[in-house]
Amino acid sequence: MGNPIENFENSNRLRQRAHQIIPGGCHTYAKGDDQYPILSPGFIASGSGCHVRDVDGNEYIEYGMGNRAVGLGHAYPPVVKAAKAQLDLGCNFTRPSGLEVDCATAFLDIIKTADMVKFCKNGSDATSAAIRLARAVTGRDLIARCSDHPFFSTDDWFIGTTEMNAGIPKVIQNLTLGFRYNDLSSVQDLLTRHRGEIAAFILEPARNEGPKDGFLHKLQDLCHQNGALLILDEMITGFRWDIGGAQKAYGIVPDLSCFGKALGNGFSVSALAGKREFMALGGLEQTSKPRVFLLSTTHGAETHALAAAIATIKVYRNEPVISHLVEQGKVLTAAIGQIAVAHGVDKYFGVQGHPACLSYFTLDDQAKPSQAFRSLFLQETIRRGLIAPSLVVSYAHGKEDVAKTLDAIDAAMAIYKKALENGVGKYLVGRPSNVVFRRFNRLKLKTSADPVAENTL
């Protein structure tokens, strides 16, 4: 991929200013400086397809794809054209736009397990509305969330269960319980200990592994037998497992489900969908139960975002997007596995997950999960023109992109091997990255713009 990328002068200057005026230096924790090595681009200037350019003019093949929100590729022409056309007509009015009906129709045409849908701007809005609705339906307070799935919402009901729960009252924290994926005994244990108290179970349909032995269907049976709702969070699996979501792939009809991310190919739009008997509680026609304040956001149905969603859905319906994602993911999985074996690091580095939504694990010389080795892998692939916090492909990732990716990973694995033999501190510049959900910042965050960026491993 040419000369190693080592110049981040403009990024480092912006970093200094960003941390002075923005808590965390950005507006999404997963994009923060603590998630990347010191030698990394801090700010992206533009993107096209699966390629991005940082503020220093460095070019990369990207595999984060906007935290999985960009399924077709950056600035995908039909989607951008639809959004631009709508912007010329205005994006927000005093009364609803006809696009709200059009988009709901297009959405429900592909998510056939749902009867009604309501749009909003981000995934947290949708999942929190689902929680509120489940509590209203059941008259219960407790929520059970899958402890194996890392993120559901920025709201208190979920953040209170993490290490980063400062500012959330204990009484709120105690209302959310945890169960394990593919572990019905953990579900049954909660139902026994909190009989008649749990309003809903919420989980992703799949993560790094899929449901085993009919887990989702058996979970749903237990929910319904005990008067609880089943909520599927399809922020990631939607528009990757199947055009109809993982619920279609696995043949299950949830009570409520939440979509977002790739729904608008990067435009801000998400959705709460579900059965009419539940969703109608947030409407104007039912009179038998108290009204539910379901979702009401000034920007929830911005017309350009809905136009982008309609255009995105059209592409997914007319082109082989899902099959392309799966095919490229399978190629990456097989080839990277071979590269790891060739370098003798296959016990320490590997690819996991659904082909359309791959991640990787990094282990140290003791075969324990290591942020330092993760940072080293990121550092070395960034130097070679990749931004790969995950290995999530888009419709824009072609054969040439994948070939360049494999070359970069091959070279990075050679450094990984040396680090296993000689110590990661000899190769990683500065401090390692860190997990998002931590109670304290133990170390001062340094960037390569600091006078000294010493190792702190």
Side-chain angles (χ1 to χ4, degrees), residues 180-224:
R180 306 306 299 269
Y181 189 75
N182 275 331
D183 185 352
L184 284 174
S185 63
S186 69
V187 174
Q188 187 62 69
D189 179 61
L190 286 184
L191 290 169
T192 299
R193 288 192 290 115
H194 302 279
R195 193 176 303 278
E197 297 179 307
I198 301 176
F201 283 72
I202 183 170
L203 73 162
E204 296 180 55
R207 192 75 183 183
N208 287 330
E209 63 175 350
K212 298 178 180 178
D213 301 321
F215 172 72
L216 291 179
H217 294 80
K218 292 176 181 178
L219 170 61
Q220 183 177 54
D221 289 343
L222 285 174
C223 286
H224 291 173

mmCIF file of all heavy atoms in Angstrom, residues 180-224:
data_model
loop_
_atom_site.group_PDB
_atom_site.id
_atom_site.type_symbol
_atom_site.label_atom_id
_atom_site.label_comp_id
_atom_site.label_asym_id
_atom_site.label_seq_id
_atom_site.Cartn_x
_atom_site.Cartn_y
_atom_site.Cartn_z
ATOM 1 N N ARG A 180 -27.827 -14.857 30.320
ATOM 2 C CA ARG A 180 -26.783 -15.237 29.387
ATOM 3 C C ARG A 180 -27.374 -15.753 28.076
ATOM 4 O O ARG A 180 -28.401 -16.438 28.077
ATOM 5 C CB ARG A 180 -25.870 -16.320 29.987
ATOM 6 C CG ARG A 180 -25.271 -15.961 31.330
ATOM 7 C CD ARG A 180 -24.530 -14.638 31.313
ATOM 8 N NE ARG A 180 -23.411 -14.627 30.381
ATOM 9 C CZ ARG A 180 -22.171 -14.960 30.707
ATOM 10 N NH1 ARG A 180 -21.882 -15.332 31.948
ATOM 11 N NH2 ARG A 180 -21.215 -14.899 29.798
ATOM 12 N N TYR A 181 -26.681 -15.437 26.993
ATOM 13 C CA TYR A 181 -27.109 -15.894 25.665
ATOM 14 C C TYR A 181 -26.914 -17.405 25.550
ATOM 15 O O TYR A 181 -25.945 -17.970 26.043
ATOM 16 C CB TYR A 181 -26.303 -15.173 24.595
ATOM 17 C CG TYR A 181 -26.799 -15.401 23.186
ATOM 18 C CD1 TYR A 181 -27.955 -14.771 22.740
ATOM 19 C CD2 TYR A 181 -26.122 -16.233 22.315
ATOM 20 C CE1 TYR A 181 -28.416 -14.957 21.446
ATOM 21 C CE2 TYR A 181 -26.573 -16.431 21.015
ATOM 22 C CZ TYR A 181 -27.725 -15.793 20.585
ATOM 23 O OH TYR A 181 -28.182 -15.992 19.299
ATOM 24 N N ASN A 182 -27.870 -18.050 24.906
ATOM 25 C CA ASN A 182 -27.850 -19.505 24.708
ATOM 26 C C ASN A 182 -27.850 -20.270 26.031
ATOM 27 O O ASN A 182 -27.397 -21.417 26.098
ATOM 28 C CB ASN A 182 -26.644 -19.945 23.862
ATOM 29 C CG ASN A 182 -26.917 -19.847 22.373
ATOM 30 O OD1 ASN A 182 -28.061 -19.981 21.932
ATOM 31 N ND2 ASN A 182 -25.877 -19.630 21.581
ATOM 32 N N ASP A 183 -28.341 -19.651 27.088
ATOM 33 C CA ASP A 183 -28.367 -20.271 28.416
ATOM 34 C C ASP A 183 -29.772 -20.131 29.002
ATOM 35 O O ASP A 183 -30.076 -19.176 29.708
ATOM 36 C CB ASP A 183 -27.334 -19.599 29.320
ATOM 37 C CG ASP A 183 -27.221 -20.260 30.688
ATOM 38 O OD1 ASP A 183 -28.044 -21.152 30.994
ATOM 39 O OD2 ASP A 183 -26.321 -19.866 31.458
ATOM 40 N N LEU A 184 -30.609 -21.096 28.714
ATOM 41 C CA LEU A 184 -31.997 -21.037 29.190
ATOM 42 C C LEU A 184 -32.085 -21.153 30.705
ATOM 43 O O LEU A 184 -33.027 -20.641 31.312
ATOM 44 C CB LEU A 184 -32.829 -22.138 28.536
ATOM 45 C CG LEU A 184 -33.238 -21.901 27.072
ATOM 46 C CD1 LEU A 184 -33.926 -23.139 26.516
ATOM 47 C CD2 LEU A 184 -34.152 -20.692 26.958
ATOM 48 N N SER A 185 -31.108 -21.814 31.322
ATOM 49 C CA SER A 185 -31.157 -21.948 32.780
ATOM 50 C C SER A 185 -31.025 -20.590 33.455
ATOM 51 O O SER A 185 -31.654 -20.343 34.498
ATOM 52 C CB SER A 185 -30.048 -22.887 33.269
ATOM 53 O OG SER A 185 -28.766 -22.354 32.973
ATOM 54 N N SER A 186 -30.236 -19.670 32.860
ATOM 55 C CA SER A 186 -30.111 -18.331 33.441
ATOM 56 C C SER A 186 -31.406 -17.555 33.291
ATOM 57 O O SER A 186 -31.752 -16.723 34.138
ATOM 58 C CB SER A 186 -28.950 -17.567 32.789
ATOM 59 O OG SER A 186 -29.233 -17.230 31.445
ATOM 60 N N VAL A 187 -32.141 -17.826 32.208
ATOM 61 C CA VAL A 187 -33.449 -17.200 31.999
ATOM 62 C C VAL A 187 -34.450 -17.729 33.018
ATOM 63 O O VAL A 187 -35.175 -16.958 33.666
ATOM 64 C CB VAL A 187 -33.950 -17.472 30.568
ATOM 65 C CG1 VAL A 187 -35.373 -16.954 30.388
ATOM 66 C CG2 VAL A 187 -33.008 -16.850 29.543
ATOM 67 N N GLN A 188 -34.469 -19.051 33.145
ATOM 68 C CA GLN A 188 -35.409 -19.670 34.074
ATOM 69 C C GLN A 188 -35.129 -19.234 35.509
ATOM 70 O O GLN A 188 -36.057 -19.038 36.308
ATOM 71 C CB GLN A 188 -35.324 -21.192 33.959
ATOM 72 C CG GLN A 188 -36.380 -21.930 34.770
ATOM 73 C CD GLN A 188 -37.788 -21.614 34.311
ATOM 74 O OE1 GLN A 188 -38.185 -22.000 33.222
ATOM 75 N NE2 GLN A 188 -38.547 -20.901 35.143
ATOM 76 N N ASP A 189 -33.847 -19.062 35.838
ATOM 77 C CA ASP A 189 -33.480 -18.624 37.183
ATOM 78 C C ASP A 189 -34.061 -17.243 37.486
ATOM 79 O O ASP A 189 -34.610 -17.013 38.581
ATOM 80 C CB ASP A 189 -31.959 -18.602 37.315
ATOM 81 C CG ASP A 189 -31.506 -18.128 38.685
ATOM 82 O OD1 ASP A 189 -31.858 -18.789 39.679
ATOM 83 O OD2 ASP A 189 -30.810 -17.099 38.763
ATOM 84 N N LEU A 190 -33.972 -16.320 36.514
ATOM 85 C CA LEU A 190 -34.542 -14.987 36.720
ATOM 86 C C LEU A 190 -36.056 -15.057 36.886
ATOM 87 O O LEU A 190 -36.628 -14.378 37.752
ATOM 88 C CB LEU A 190 -34.200 -14.080 35.540
ATOM 89 C CG LEU A 190 -32.764 -13.561 35.418
ATOM 90 C CD1 LEU A 190 -32.666 -12.602 34.248
ATOM 91 C CD2 LEU A 190 -32.323 -12.879 36.698
ATOM 92 N N LEU A 191 -36.688 -15.854 36.059
ATOM 93 C CA LEU A 191 -38.145 -15.954 36.120
ATOM 94 C C LEU A 191 -38.605 -16.563 37.440
ATOM 95 O O LEU A 191 -39.680 -16.219 37.957
ATOM 96 C CB LEU A 191 -38.652 -16.789 34.946
ATOM 97 C CG LEU A 191 -38.516 -16.125 33.561
ATOM 98 C CD1 LEU A 191 -38.797 -17.131 32.460
ATOM 99 C CD2 LEU A 191 -39.454 -14.931 33.452
ATOM 100 N N THR A 192 -37.806 -17.450 37.996
ATOM 101 C CA THR A 192 -38.154 -18.071 39.278
ATOM 102 C C THR A 192 -37.941 -17.092 40.429
ATOM 103 O O THR A 192 -38.782 -16.968 41.334
ATOM 104 C CB THR A 192 -37.302 -19.333 39.503
ATOM 105 O OG1 THR A 192 -37.571 -20.275 38.461
ATOM 106 C CG2 THR A 192 -37.629 -19.969 40.855
ATOM 107 N N ARG A 193 -36.801 -16.386 40.392
ATOM 108 C CA ARG A 193 -36.478 -15.465 41.494
ATOM 109 C C ARG A 193 -37.319 -14.189 41.460
ATOM 110 O O ARG A 193 -37.492 -13.537 42.492
ATOM 111 C CB ARG A 193 -34.990 -15.104 41.445
ATOM 112 C CG ARG A 193 -34.086 -16.241 41.862
ATOM 113 C CD ARG A 193 -32.645 -15.805 42.085
ATOM 114 N NE ARG A 193 -31.960 -15.453 40.840
ATOM 115 C CZ ARG A 193 -31.538 -14.227 40.568
ATOM 116 N NH1 ARG A 193 -31.757 -13.230 41.409
ATOM 117 N NH2 ARG A 193 -30.901 -13.983 39.438
ATOM 118 N N HIS A 194 -37.822 -13.843 40.264
ATOM 119 C CA HIS A 194 -38.604 -12.602 40.133
ATOM 120 C C HIS A 194 -39.940 -12.917 39.455
ATOM 121 O O HIS A 194 -40.318 -12.292 38.472
ATOM 122 C CB HIS A 194 -37.807 -11.576 39.318
ATOM 123 C CG HIS A 194 -36.464 -11.241 39.899
ATOM 124 N ND1 HIS A 194 -36.313 -10.345 40.922
ATOM 125 C CD2 HIS A 194 -35.223 -11.716 39.603
ATOM 126 C CE1 HIS A 194 -35.019 -10.258 41.233
ATOM 127 N NE2 HIS A 194 -34.348 -11.077 40.450
ATOM 128 N N ARG A 195 -40.611 -13.872 40.003
ATOM 129 C CA ARG A 195 -41.865 -14.347 39.416
ATOM 130 C C ARG A 195 -42.896 -13.211 39.306
ATOM 131 O O ARG A 195 -43.180 -12.508 40.273
ATOM 132 C CB ARG A 195 -42.439 -15.485 40.255
ATOM 133 C CG ARG A 195 -43.571 -16.264 39.588
ATOM 134 C CD ARG A 195 -44.014 -17.434 40.449
ATOM 135 N NE ARG A 195 -42.916 -18.343 40.746
ATOM 136 C CZ ARG A 195 -42.487 -19.303 39.928
ATOM 137 N NH1 ARG A 195 -43.081 -19.463 38.747
ATOM 138 N NH2 ARG A 195 -41.486 -20.087 40.284
ATOM 139 N N GLY A 196 -43.398 -13.020 38.089
ATOM 140 C CA GLY A 196 -44.420 -12.012 37.866
ATOM 141 C C GLY A 196 -43.932 -10.581 37.922
ATOM 142 O O GLY A 196 -44.749 -9.649 38.002
ATOM 143 N N GLU A 197 -42.595 -10.362 37.857
ATOM 144 C CA GLU A 197 -42.052 -9.005 37.999
ATOM 145 C C GLU A 197 -41.319 -8.508 36.756
ATOM 146 O O GLU A 197 -41.032 -7.311 36.654
ATOM 147 C CB GLU A 197 -41.085 -8.954 39.180
ATOM 148 C CG GLU A 197 -41.723 -9.244 40.526
ATOM 149 C CD GLU A 197 -40.711 -9.191 41.651
ATOM 150 O OE1 GLU A 197 -39.665 -9.874 41.558
ATOM 151 O OE2 GLU A 197 -40.957 -8.430 42.612
ATOM 152 N N ILE A 198 -40.990 -9.394 35.824
ATOM 153 C CA ILE A 198 -40.171 -9.012 34.668
ATOM 154 C C ILE A 198 -41.060 -8.635 33.493
ATOM 155 O O ILE A 198 -41.895 -9.420 33.046
ATOM 156 C CB ILE A 198 -39.211 -10.149 34.267
ATOM 157 C CG1 ILE A 198 -38.289 -10.492 35.440
ATOM 158 C CG2 ILE A 198 -38.393 -9.752 33.036
ATOM 159 C CD1 ILE A 198 -37.361 -11.663 35.174
ATOM 160 N N ALA A 199 -40.856 -7.428 32.978
ATOM 161 C CA ALA A 199 -41.675 -6.923 31.875
ATOM 162 C C ALA A 199 -41.199 -7.456 30.525
ATOM 163 O O ALA A 199 -42.026 -7.741 29.642
ATOM 164 C CB ALA A 199 -41.647 -5.395 31.854
ATOM 165 N N ALA A 200 -39.891 -7.584 30.341
ATOM 166 C CA ALA A 200 -39.377 -7.982 29.022
ATOM 167 C C ALA A 200 -37.960 -8.514 29.125
ATOM 168 O O ALA A 200 -37.211 -8.184 30.054
ATOM 169 C CB ALA A 200 -39.398 -6.795 28.062
ATOM 170 N N PHE A 201 -37.625 -9.339 28.152
ATOM 171 C CA PHE A 201 -36.259 -9.785 27.927
ATOM 172 C C PHE A 201 -35.800 -9.146 26.624
ATOM 173 O O PHE A 201 -36.478 -9.264 25.600
ATOM 174 C CB PHE A 201 -36.184 -11.311 27.819
ATOM 175 C CG PHE A 201 -36.278 -12.026 29.137
ATOM 176 C CD1 PHE A 201 -37.482 -12.083 29.834
ATOM 177 C CD2 PHE A 201 -35.159 -12.630 29.693
ATOM 178 C CE1 PHE A 201 -37.576 -12.737 31.053
ATOM 179 C CE2 PHE A 201 -35.232 -13.282 30.921
ATOM 180 C CZ PHE A 201 -36.442 -13.341 31.606
ATOM 181 N N ILE A 202 -34.636 -8.478 26.666
ATOM 182 C CA ILE A 202 -34.110 -7.826 25.472
ATOM 183 C C ILE A 202 -32.725 -8.381 25.161
ATOM 184 O O ILE A 202 -31.896 -8.569 26.060
ATOM 185 C CB ILE A 202 -34.069 -6.293 25.634
ATOM 186 C CG1 ILE A 202 -33.581 -5.631 24.324
ATOM 187 C CG2 ILE A 202 -33.238 -5.856 26.817
ATOM 188 C CD1 ILE A 202 -33.749 -4.114 24.313
ATOM 189 N N LEU A 203 -32.483 -8.653 23.891
ATOM 190 C CA LEU A 203 -31.201 -9.204 23.451
ATOM 191 C C LEU A 203 -31.031 -8.984 21.964
ATOM 192 O O LEU A 203 -32.002 -8.703 21.255
ATOM 193 C CB LEU A 203 -31.111 -10.701 23.757
ATOM 194 C CG LEU A 203 -31.955 -11.661 22.902
ATOM 195 C CD1 LEU A 203 -31.420 -13.087 23.032
ATOM 196 C CD2 LEU A 203 -33.428 -11.620 23.274
ATOM 197 N N GLU A 204 -29.803 -9.092 21.499
ATOM 198 C CA GLU A 204 -29.561 -9.160 20.066
ATOM 199 C C GLU A 204 -29.868 -10.589 19.624
ATOM 200 O O GLU A 204 -29.605 -11.535 20.376
ATOM 201 C CB GLU A 204 -28.113 -8.804 19.752
ATOM 202 C CG GLU A 204 -27.728 -7.377 20.108
ATOM 203 C CD GLU A 204 -26.287 -7.077 19.772
ATOM 204 O OE1 GLU A 204 -25.907 -7.276 18.600
ATOM 205 O OE2 GLU A 204 -25.537 -6.648 20.667
ATOM 206 N N PRO A 205 -30.414 -10.787 18.431
ATOM 207 C CA PRO A 205 -30.704 -12.147 17.979
ATOM 208 C C PRO A 205 -29.457 -13.015 17.913
ATOM 209 O O PRO A 205 -29.520 -14.231 18.105
ATOM 210 C CB PRO A 205 -31.304 -11.948 16.589
ATOM 211 C CG PRO A 205 -31.781 -10.537 16.570
ATOM 212 C CD PRO A 205 -30.832 -9.774 17.446
ATOM 213 N N ALA A 206 -28.307 -12.374 17.636
ATOM 214 C CA ALA A 206 -27.035 -13.085 17.574
ATOM 215 C C ALA A 206 -25.914 -12.079 17.729
ATOM 216 O O ALA A 206 -26.093 -10.885 17.498
ATOM 217 C CB ALA A 206 -26.891 -13.830 16.248
ATOM 218 N N ARG A 207 -24.753 -12.588 18.099
ATOM 219 C CA ARG A 207 -23.564 -11.738 18.160
ATOM 220 C C ARG A 207 -22.436 -12.510 17.484
ATOM 221 O O ARG A 207 -22.476 -12.733 16.291
ATOM 222 C CB ARG A 207 -23.234 -11.396 19.618
ATOM 223 C CG ARG A 207 -22.196 -10.281 19.766
ATOM 224 C CD ARG A 207 -22.761 -8.902 19.479
ATOM 225 N NE ARG A 207 -21.727 -7.884 19.564
ATOM 226 C CZ ARG A 207 -21.939 -6.603 19.417
ATOM 227 N NH1 ARG A 207 -23.162 -6.158 19.212
ATOM 228 N NH2 ARG A 207 -20.949 -5.740 19.475
ATOM 229 N N ASN A 208 -21.439 -12.929 18.252
ATOM 230 C CA ASN A 208 -20.376 -13.731 17.653
ATOM 231 C C ASN A 208 -20.820 -15.161 17.373
ATOM 232 O O ASN A 208 -20.230 -15.855 16.559
ATOM 233 C CB ASN A 208 -19.142 -13.735 18.569
ATOM 234 C CG ASN A 208 -18.417 -12.402 18.559
ATOM 235 O OD1 ASN A 208 -18.437 -11.687 17.561
ATOM 236 N ND2 ASN A 208 -17.793 -12.052 19.663
ATOM 237 N N GLU A 209 -21.847 -15.601 18.077
ATOM 238 C CA GLU A 209 -22.429 -16.905 17.811
ATOM 239 C C GLU A 209 -23.932 -16.760 17.649
ATOM 240 O O GLU A 209 -24.541 -15.827 18.165
ATOM 241 C CB GLU A 209 -22.115 -17.888 18.943
ATOM 242 C CG GLU A 209 -22.711 -17.492 20.294
ATOM 243 C CD GLU A 209 -22.496 -18.546 21.368
ATOM 244 O OE1 GLU A 209 -22.048 -19.654 21.020
ATOM 245 O OE2 GLU A 209 -22.782 -18.275 22.543
ATOM 246 N N GLY A 210 -24.525 -17.686 16.909
ATOM 247 C CA GLY A 210 -25.964 -17.658 16.698
ATOM 248 C C GLY A 210 -26.686 -18.492 17.736
ATOM 249 O O GLY A 210 -26.063 -19.135 18.583
ATOM 250 N N PRO A 211 -28.007 -18.493 17.692
ATOM 251 C CA PRO A 211 -28.785 -19.269 18.664
ATOM 252 C C PRO A 211 -28.587 -20.767 18.469
ATOM 253 O O PRO A 211 -28.535 -21.257 17.342
ATOM 254 C CB PRO A 211 -30.230 -18.849 18.360
ATOM 255 C CG PRO A 211 -30.202 -18.389 16.932
ATOM 256 C CD PRO A 211 -28.856 -17.768 16.726
ATOM 257 N N LYS A 212 -28.463 -21.483 19.576
ATOM 258 C CA LYS A 212 -28.277 -22.935 19.541
ATOM 259 C C LYS A 212 -29.496 -23.642 20.122
ATOM 260 O O LYS A 212 -30.112 -23.155 21.074
ATOM 261 C CB LYS A 212 -27.027 -23.321 20.338
ATOM 262 C CG LYS A 212 -25.732 -22.744 19.785
ATOM 263 C CD LYS A 212 -24.544 -23.131 20.657
ATOM 264 C CE LYS A 212 -23.238 -22.549 20.107
ATOM 265 N NZ LYS A 212 -22.078 -22.881 20.984
ATOM 266 N N ASP A 213 -29.814 -24.783 19.525
ATOM 267 C CA ASP A 213 -30.902 -25.633 20.036
ATOM 268 C C ASP A 213 -32.211 -24.857 20.213
ATOM 269 O O ASP A 213 -32.910 -25.027 21.217
ATOM 270 C CB ASP A 213 -30.495 -26.271 21.372
ATOM 271 C CG ASP A 213 -29.233 -27.124 21.241
ATOM 272 O OD1 ASP A 213 -29.090 -27.809 20.214
ATOM 273 O OD2 ASP A 213 -28.395 -27.073 22.159
ATOM 274 N N GLY A 214 -32.516 -23.980 19.238
ATOM 275 C CA GLY A 214 -33.770 -23.245 19.284
ATOM 276 C C GLY A 214 -33.859 -22.254 20.421
ATOM 277 O O GLY A 214 -34.951 -21.974 20.931
ATOM 278 N N PHE A 215 -32.711 -21.671 20.807
ATOM 279 C CA PHE A 215 -32.688 -20.794 21.980
ATOM 280 C C PHE A 215 -33.691 -19.649 21.895
ATOM 281 O O PHE A 215 -34.422 -19.383 22.861
ATOM 282 C CB PHE A 215 -31.282 -20.224 22.182
ATOM 283 C CG PHE A 215 -31.200 -19.169 23.251
ATOM 284 C CD1 PHE A 215 -31.318 -19.506 24.592
ATOM 285 C CD2 PHE A 215 -31.023 -17.827 22.918
ATOM 286 C CE1 PHE A 215 -31.253 -18.523 25.581
ATOM 287 C CE2 PHE A 215 -30.952 -16.845 23.896
ATOM 288 C CZ PHE A 215 -31.074 -17.195 25.228
ATOM 289 N N LEU A 216 -33.728 -18.947 20.770
ATOM 290 C CA LEU A 216 -34.620 -17.792 20.664
ATOM 291 C C LEU A 216 -36.077 -18.190 20.822
ATOM 292 O O LEU A 216 -36.859 -17.518 21.508
ATOM 293 C CB LEU A 216 -34.417 -17.080 19.328
ATOM 294 C CG LEU A 216 -33.086 -16.355 19.130
ATOM 295 C CD1 LEU A 216 -33.034 -15.728 17.743
ATOM 296 C CD2 LEU A 216 -32.871 -15.285 20.204
ATOM 297 N N HIS A 217 -36.476 -19.288 20.200
ATOM 298 C CA HIS A 217 -37.866 -19.740 20.280
ATOM 299 C C HIS A 217 -38.213 -20.224 21.687
ATOM 300 O O HIS A 217 -39.308 -19.953 22.192
ATOM 301 C CB HIS A 217 -38.124 -20.841 19.253
ATOM 302 C CG HIS A 217 -38.029 -20.369 17.832
ATOM 303 N ND1 HIS A 217 -36.825 -20.202 17.191
ATOM 304 C CD2 HIS A 217 -38.999 -20.006 16.941
ATOM 305 C CE1 HIS A 217 -37.044 -19.769 15.952
ATOM 306 N NE2 HIS A 217 -38.345 -19.636 15.772
ATOM 307 N N LYS A 218 -37.264 -20.910 22.327
ATOM 308 C CA LYS A 218 -37.506 -21.376 23.694
ATOM 309 C C LYS A 218 -37.550 -20.199 24.663
ATOM 310 O O LYS A 218 -38.345 -20.197 25.613
ATOM 311 C CB LYS A 218 -36.436 -22.383 24.096
ATOM 312 C CG LYS A 218 -36.524 -23.700 23.333
ATOM 313 C CD LYS A 218 -35.377 -24.638 23.688
ATOM 314 C CE LYS A 218 -35.473 -25.941 22.886
ATOM 315 N NZ LYS A 218 -34.321 -26.843 23.184
ATOM 316 N N LEU A 219 -36.708 -19.207 24.416
ATOM 317 C CA LEU A 219 -36.755 -17.991 25.242
ATOM 318 C C LEU A 219 -38.099 -17.301 25.087
ATOM 319 O O LEU A 219 -38.713 -16.874 26.079
ATOM 320 C CB LEU A 219 -35.623 -17.048 24.831
ATOM 321 C CG LEU A 219 -35.658 -15.637 25.432
ATOM 322 C CD1 LEU A 219 -35.570 -15.695 26.946
ATOM 323 C CD2 LEU A 219 -34.534 -14.780 24.849
ATOM 324 N N GLN A 220 -38.566 -17.200 23.857
ATOM 325 C CA GLN A 220 -39.862 -16.568 23.621
ATOM 326 C C GLN A 220 -40.982 -17.327 24.335
ATOM 327 O O GLN A 220 -41.874 -16.719 24.935
ATOM 328 C CB GLN A 220 -40.148 -16.502 22.126
ATOM 329 C CG GLN A 220 -41.451 -15.786 21.782
ATOM 330 C CD GLN A 220 -41.654 -15.675 20.291
ATOM 331 O OE1 GLN A 220 -41.607 -16.666 19.580
ATOM 332 N NE2 GLN A 220 -41.876 -14.452 19.810
ATOM 333 N N ASP A 221 -40.927 -18.643 24.295
ATOM 334 C CA ASP A 221 -41.945 -19.453 24.986
ATOM 335 C C ASP A 221 -41.928 -19.160 26.483
ATOM 336 O O ASP A 221 -42.999 -19.000 27.110
ATOM 337 C CB ASP A 221 -41.696 -20.939 24.742
ATOM 338 C CG ASP A 221 -42.018 -21.361 23.315
ATOM 339 O OD1 ASP A 221 -42.732 -20.609 22.619
ATOM 340 O OD2 ASP A 221 -41.555 -22.441 22.897
ATOM 341 N N LEU A 222 -40.747 -19.101 27.066
ATOM 342 C CA LEU A 222 -40.646 -18.810 28.498
ATOM 343 C C LEU A 222 -41.159 -17.408 28.806
ATOM 344 O O LEU A 222 -41.836 -17.195 29.826
ATOM 345 C CB LEU A 222 -39.201 -18.949 28.961
ATOM 346 C CG LEU A 222 -38.655 -20.366 29.109
ATOM 347 C CD1 LEU A 222 -37.165 -20.341 29.422
ATOM 348 C CD2 LEU A 222 -39.409 -21.117 30.202
ATOM 349 N N CYS A 223 -40.844 -16.454 27.934
ATOM 350 C CA CYS A 223 -41.349 -15.090 28.137
ATOM 351 C C CYS A 223 -42.866 -15.085 28.185
ATOM 352 O O CYS A 223 -43.484 -14.541 29.113
ATOM 353 C CB CYS A 223 -40.875 -14.177 27.006
ATOM 354 S SG CYS A 223 -39.141 -13.701 27.083
ATOM 355 N N HIS A 224 -43.481 -15.684 27.184
ATOM 356 C CA HIS A 224 -44.937 -15.641 27.078
ATOM 357 C C HIS A 224 -45.619 -16.463 28.169
ATOM 358 O O HIS A 224 -46.694 -16.083 28.657
ATOM 359 C CB HIS A 224 -45.355 -16.113 25.684
ATOM 360 C CG HIS A 224 -44.957 -15.146 24.606
ATOM 361 N ND1 HIS A 224 -45.103 -15.407 23.266
ATOM 362 C CD2 HIS A 224 -44.407 -13.896 24.677
ATOM 363 C CE1 HIS A 224 -44.665 -14.374 22.557
ATOM 364 N NE2 HIS A 224 -44.243 -13.452 23.394
#
